[in-house]
Structure formats: C-alpha cells, structure tokens
Amino acid sequence: MIKKLLIANRGEIAARIIRTCKNMNIETVAVYSEADKAAPFVSMADEAYLLGPARVQDSYLNVDKIFSIAKETGADALHPGYGFLSENPTFREQCDTAGIIFIGPDSQVIQKMGSKIEARRVMKEAGVPIVPGTETAVASPDEAVQFAEHIGYPILLKASSGGGGIGMQTVYSAEELIKAFDGNQKRAQTFFGDGSMFLEKKIEAAHHVEIQLLADEHGHVVHLFDRECSIQRRNQKVIEEASSPFISDETRQAMGKAAVKAAQAIGYTNAGTIEFLVDDNEQFYFLEMNTRIQVEHPVTEEITGIDIVEAQIHIANGEKLAFEQTDIKKTGHAIEARIYAEDPVTFFPSPGTITKLELPEGIGVRHDIGVVSGSQVTPFYDPMIGKLIVSGDTRDEAISRLEKALDAYQIEGIKTNIPMLKDVIEHPLFKAGQTTTAFVELFYQSIKK
C-alpha cells in the first residue's frame, strides 16, 4: 500500500493531490524550483525539496534529481499530475525500474496514445469513429497537399506528439498548407522531439466533448460521464462543464460506451480521458486520449461525488474499483473557469506579483488554486494560476453562481482573463449551450478588435 507519495508537479494540481493524500493519511513529498520556493503547495506537503533553477529542464523535467529525492525520502509512489512528465513513457519505465509506483497507465499505453497517429489507428481498430485524415505521418508539404486535395479543405495540420495547440494550424488552401508545414514541423520537433505531422479534416462547428474513464488492474472500466470543453483560446480550454448541454442522453450513452470499449481494447488502467469532436448532427469522432488526470477533472467530481485522485491511488495500489457503472449517478451541473494570468484581450501572459487576492465564497463554490496574495507569477510556466469551480442543481443555477463568483473575485497586481470569462458566460450562445470550438475566435475576439 502506498505510504509516501512524491508529487512531480507544481501549482494548483500539486496542492490538489496533497489535499487528497492528507485525507487518505498518505505522506507527501513536494519538489519545487527556485521560482516556486514560496508557492503554497511547498508548505502544504509533509516534506519539500529543491529541484533546481526555474527553467523546467533544470527542475520539473530533471528526472535524475526527482529520483534522487524519491530515494532519499523513501517515497514509494509518484503522481505526475498533468503536463511535464505525466505522459512520458520513458519516465514511466524509469519509475518501474526504480521500484516506484507510478500513478497512471503503463508505458506502452502512454506511448501508443502519445502518438496521435498511432492512437487514431488503435481507435479505428477498436471500432471508435475517427476524423477522416492521414493514416501515417506526412513526409513533405507536397505529400500533404496531395492528400488535402483528396479530402478537401479546410484541413487541420497537426503534430503527432503535440499538445496545447503547439504544431497545430487550420489551413484553407494548398498555399497556406505549404507555408505552414515546415514551421509547424520545426516547432513540433523543438517542443516534443518529434516532427511527425499528419492531417485531419476540419470538422466545422464542432463541439469538444470528452469522456472521463477509470480503469482498474482487474479489467474493470467505467466512465464518469462527459465534459463540454468547447470554449477554447489558442486551442487551449478555458471553460469546461459537466455534463455537456449540447448532446442528448442517447449520444452521451453512446460516447460513454465507445470510450469504455476503447479503453478495454488497449488494456488501459488508472484515470484517462478520451476526447471527441461532435458535429451539429451529434456524430462524434475520436480526437485524442489523455493518459493522465485532466485539468478539468473537478467538474466531474462535483456531479458524481467521486474523488478522481483518490480513485487513481486506489487503482495504483492494485485495488478493484469500488463501484460498477450502474452505481455511478450524475447529479446537478458543474462549470469550471480557468483563471489565467494573462491579458484578457490579447491572451499574452501577465507575470508579476499578486498584491491582493480575495476569493469568493458561497454554496457550490470551489477553488483549486496555486497562489496566494503576495505570490510571484513567473514567466517560466503555464500562466494558469487557479480554477474556479461552481455547481448547482441545474445549469442555470451553476451559471448564476459563476457570474456572482467572478464578480466577487478580487485579484490585483497582474492582469487576468476574468473580464473575458464574464463576457463569455453572459453571451446568449453560452447561455443556450450552443458554443463550438470556434466561439472565442468568432464572437469574443471579433468584438475586442
């Protein structure tokens, strides 16, 4: 049984994991960079150790130092959170070699799902609908143009090992595709060490809907319903909710069954998420699988009452899931708004010192946050500083609580995206649950220019 857990991450997710570990009487070890030495998660943990300088290569990606600290502290397990090393199959193998329990799936599954090209192939074999696109990596701009002309524009040019919108671009002509190919390929190589590119047909007016999965090591897989994640900027999510207000219960059940079937087909274990694009006719297509906990997991916790981090730890302990699919009930509605230290119009990061922070309170209001008043927001990491999660008996009630909470959210010293969040949730399309992945570009940015 896990007795001491090292958290190989930072910020709000590190604090989130520590809270569950305290409830489970599991000791925690935090690791931090010089830039994070005063961060709340550092003092929350039972033990904390310096990794190195601020740059991620010298700190949160410093594998040798992480294992050295794990050995020194006697940590028997490691939670990677999201980002950083969470979907690195080599790191997972190194944990196995070191005798450290990794909170996540095995390395082969991580590797398969980490390659979007391989993931598409596996999902197609499992009978999950996939977006029309290339079956293998595209070697050159000329080859890309030839395929694009076959399936028609617009086309999404995507990095096989990409994430966070890096190496991804929508193109509407052969000229745009040729111009975009080399630049995105180089960015993918720089960020992910893999310049493999592929093409997908752009699904117009698409909704981004995902299914949360839990799978134990005894062959049991369940889904925890769906999340709507269509409000995005720069291909990154900003507002998420559970469940999707767009799809029908029939489609929801079909997506859940497809996701469970896919997880069973690849022998998946622990928590994972299968993301889908859904068109106007509610036809859904596999987008990608995230083999880790998601940023937006709290909204699922709020509607199911299941602590996903706790479930991850139980699964990693080799325990069977404590519930069957029929035991999982969906109650009410929950919405998460990501709070970013960024300009609300340009979306450029806004580092600096938080001189004042007062968080709204009330029924149905939850905060997963990584900063306090006086915290330094540095330019070294993702500018998300926290998440505001609200829940209610109905979606309308949840939206009302979110509006009030955002109005009462006081943060000074840096710019944040709170004005943008207010504009989005007050828009008639959002109120109607009809927002697509193009919403921010078409309706928000257009009125701010």
Side-chain angles (χ1 to χ4, degrees), residues 121-137:
R121 184 191 66 77
V122 171
M123 291 297 156
K124 185 176 181 181
E125 288 182 357
V128 180
I130 64 172
V131 179
T134 53
E135 299 293 323
T136 58

mmCIF file of all heavy atoms in Angstrom, residues 121-137:
data_model
loop_
_atom_site.group_PDB
_atom_site.id
_atom_site.type_symbol
_atom_site.label_atom_id
_atom_site.label_comp_id
_atom_site.label_asym_id
_atom_site.label_seq_id
_atom_site.Cartn_x
_atom_site.Cartn_y
_atom_site.Cartn_z
ATOM 1 N N ARG A 121 -4.995 4.966 -35.240
ATOM 2 C CA ARG A 121 -5.016 3.603 -35.762
ATOM 3 C C ARG A 121 -5.641 2.644 -34.749
ATOM 4 O O ARG A 121 -6.492 1.815 -35.098
ATOM 5 C CB ARG A 121 -3.588 3.147 -36.098
ATOM 6 C CG ARG A 121 -3.512 1.763 -36.738
ATOM 7 C CD ARG A 121 -2.090 1.253 -36.810
ATOM 8 N NE ARG A 121 -1.532 1.015 -35.481
ATOM 9 C CZ ARG A 121 -1.831 -0.059 -34.739
ATOM 10 N NH1 ARG A 121 -2.671 -0.978 -35.198
ATOM 11 N NH2 ARG A 121 -1.284 -0.208 -33.555
ATOM 12 N N VAL A 122 -5.228 2.760 -33.488
ATOM 13 C CA VAL A 122 -5.737 1.879 -32.440
ATOM 14 C C VAL A 122 -7.236 2.069 -32.243
ATOM 15 O O VAL A 122 -7.991 1.103 -32.099
ATOM 16 C CB VAL A 122 -4.973 2.136 -31.121
ATOM 17 C CG1 VAL A 122 -5.635 1.392 -29.967
ATOM 18 C CG2 VAL A 122 -3.517 1.715 -31.254
ATOM 19 N N MET A 123 -7.681 3.326 -32.236
ATOM 20 C CA MET A 123 -9.107 3.599 -32.030
ATOM 21 C C MET A 123 -9.943 3.093 -33.208
ATOM 22 O O MET A 123 -11.046 2.592 -33.022
ATOM 23 C CB MET A 123 -9.327 5.093 -31.820
ATOM 24 C CG MET A 123 -8.782 5.607 -30.508
ATOM 25 S SD MET A 123 -9.601 4.840 -29.095
ATOM 26 C CE MET A 123 -8.340 5.052 -27.826
ATOM 27 N N LYS A 124 -9.407 3.226 -34.403
ATOM 28 C CA LYS A 124 -10.127 2.729 -35.577
ATOM 29 C C LYS A 124 -10.303 1.220 -35.481
ATOM 30 O O LYS A 124 -11.386 0.687 -35.773
ATOM 31 C CB LYS A 124 -9.359 3.098 -36.845
ATOM 32 C CG LYS A 124 -10.084 2.745 -38.131
ATOM 33 C CD LYS A 124 -9.301 3.225 -39.354
ATOM 34 C CE LYS A 124 -10.025 2.896 -40.643
ATOM 35 N NZ LYS A 124 -9.261 3.347 -41.834
ATOM 36 N N GLU A 125 -9.261 0.524 -35.045
ATOM 37 C CA GLU A 125 -9.338 -0.930 -34.883
ATOM 38 C C GLU A 125 -10.350 -1.317 -33.805
ATOM 39 O O GLU A 125 -10.974 -2.382 -33.874
ATOM 40 C CB GLU A 125 -7.957 -1.497 -34.536
ATOM 41 C CG GLU A 125 -6.973 -1.492 -35.699
ATOM 42 C CD GLU A 125 -5.637 -2.100 -35.313
ATOM 43 O OE1 GLU A 125 -5.463 -2.469 -34.126
ATOM 44 O OE2 GLU A 125 -4.765 -2.206 -36.193
ATOM 45 N N ALA A 126 -10.482 -0.439 -32.784
ATOM 46 C CA ALA A 126 -11.420 -0.710 -31.689
ATOM 47 C C ALA A 126 -12.851 -0.355 -32.056
ATOM 48 O O ALA A 126 -13.765 -0.538 -31.251
ATOM 49 C CB ALA A 126 -10.991 0.060 -30.444
ATOM 50 N N GLY A 127 -13.055 0.159 -33.268
ATOM 51 C CA GLY A 127 -14.400 0.494 -33.719
ATOM 52 C C GLY A 127 -14.889 1.862 -33.307
ATOM 53 O O GLY A 127 -16.084 2.158 -33.394
ATOM 54 N N VAL A 128 -13.967 2.733 -32.856
ATOM 55 C CA VAL A 128 -14.330 4.093 -32.475
ATOM 56 C C VAL A 128 -14.235 4.995 -33.703
ATOM 57 O O VAL A 128 -13.207 4.979 -34.392
ATOM 58 C CB VAL A 128 -13.409 4.616 -31.352
ATOM 59 C CG1 VAL A 128 -13.787 6.036 -30.966
ATOM 60 C CG2 VAL A 128 -13.476 3.697 -30.134
ATOM 61 N N PRO A 129 -15.259 5.797 -34.004
ATOM 62 C CA PRO A 129 -15.196 6.673 -35.176
ATOM 63 C C PRO A 129 -14.036 7.669 -35.071
ATOM 64 O O PRO A 129 -13.807 8.244 -34.003
ATOM 65 C CB PRO A 129 -16.539 7.407 -35.155
ATOM 66 C CG PRO A 129 -17.427 6.577 -34.295
ATOM 67 C CD PRO A 129 -16.543 5.927 -33.284
ATOM 68 N N ILE A 130 -13.296 7.841 -36.136
ATOM 69 C CA ILE A 130 -12.211 8.816 -36.152
ATOM 70 C C ILE A 130 -12.445 9.843 -37.251
ATOM 71 O O ILE A 130 -13.129 9.572 -38.238
ATOM 72 C CB ILE A 130 -10.824 8.149 -36.352
ATOM 73 C CG1 ILE A 130 -10.735 7.468 -37.728
ATOM 74 C CG2 ILE A 130 -10.526 7.159 -35.237
ATOM 75 C CD1 ILE A 130 -9.347 6.952 -38.060
ATOM 76 N N VAL A 131 -11.867 11.029 -37.083
ATOM 77 C CA VAL A 131 -11.977 12.085 -38.097
ATOM 78 C C VAL A 131 -11.213 11.641 -39.339
ATOM 79 O O VAL A 131 -10.098 11.112 -39.223
ATOM 80 C CB VAL A 131 -11.386 13.402 -37.569
ATOM 81 C CG1 VAL A 131 -11.473 14.493 -38.637
ATOM 82 C CG2 VAL A 131 -12.102 13.843 -36.303
ATOM 83 N N PRO A 132 -11.772 11.805 -40.548
ATOM 84 C CA PRO A 132 -11.021 11.464 -41.753
ATOM 85 C C PRO A 132 -9.677 12.171 -41.780
ATOM 86 O O PRO A 132 -9.579 13.356 -41.464
ATOM 87 C CB PRO A 132 -11.933 11.966 -42.881
ATOM 88 C CG PRO A 132 -13.310 11.970 -42.292
ATOM 89 C CD PRO A 132 -13.127 12.318 -40.848
ATOM 90 N N GLY A 133 -8.631 11.427 -42.116
ATOM 91 C CA GLY A 133 -7.290 12.024 -42.138
ATOM 92 C C GLY A 133 -6.261 11.010 -42.581
ATOM 93 O O GLY A 133 -6.587 9.888 -42.986
ATOM 94 N N THR A 134 -4.991 11.382 -42.482
ATOM 95 C CA THR A 134 -3.906 10.501 -42.915
ATOM 96 C C THR A 134 -3.720 9.367 -41.917
ATOM 97 O O THR A 134 -3.900 9.539 -40.713
ATOM 98 C CB THR A 134 -2.596 11.276 -43.077
ATOM 99 O OG1 THR A 134 -2.317 11.998 -41.868
ATOM 100 C CG2 THR A 134 -2.689 12.268 -44.216
ATOM 101 N N GLU A 135 -3.337 8.215 -42.424
ATOM 102 C CA GLU A 135 -3.119 7.039 -41.582
ATOM 103 C C GLU A 135 -1.681 6.968 -41.079
ATOM 104 O O GLU A 135 -1.401 6.291 -40.089
ATOM 105 C CB GLU A 135 -3.446 5.762 -42.377
ATOM 106 C CG GLU A 135 -4.884 5.686 -42.863
ATOM 107 C CD GLU A 135 -5.882 5.541 -41.728
ATOM 108 O OE1 GLU A 135 -5.579 4.850 -40.750
ATOM 109 O OE2 GLU A 135 -6.974 6.147 -41.827
ATOM 110 N N THR A 136 -0.778 7.659 -41.767
ATOM 111 C CA THR A 136 0.636 7.672 -41.389
ATOM 112 C C THR A 136 1.140 9.116 -41.425
ATOM 113 O O THR A 136 0.435 10.025 -41.875
ATOM 114 C CB THR A 136 1.482 6.820 -42.353
ATOM 115 O OG1 THR A 136 1.316 7.312 -43.690
ATOM 116 C CG2 THR A 136 1.055 5.357 -42.310
ATOM 117 N N ALA A 137 2.359 9.323 -40.950
ATOM 118 C CA ALA A 137 2.947 10.658 -40.959
ATOM 119 C C ALA A 137 3.123 11.158 -42.389
ATOM 120 O O ALA A 137 3.404 10.381 -43.310
ATOM 121 C CB ALA A 137 4.294 10.644 -40.241
#
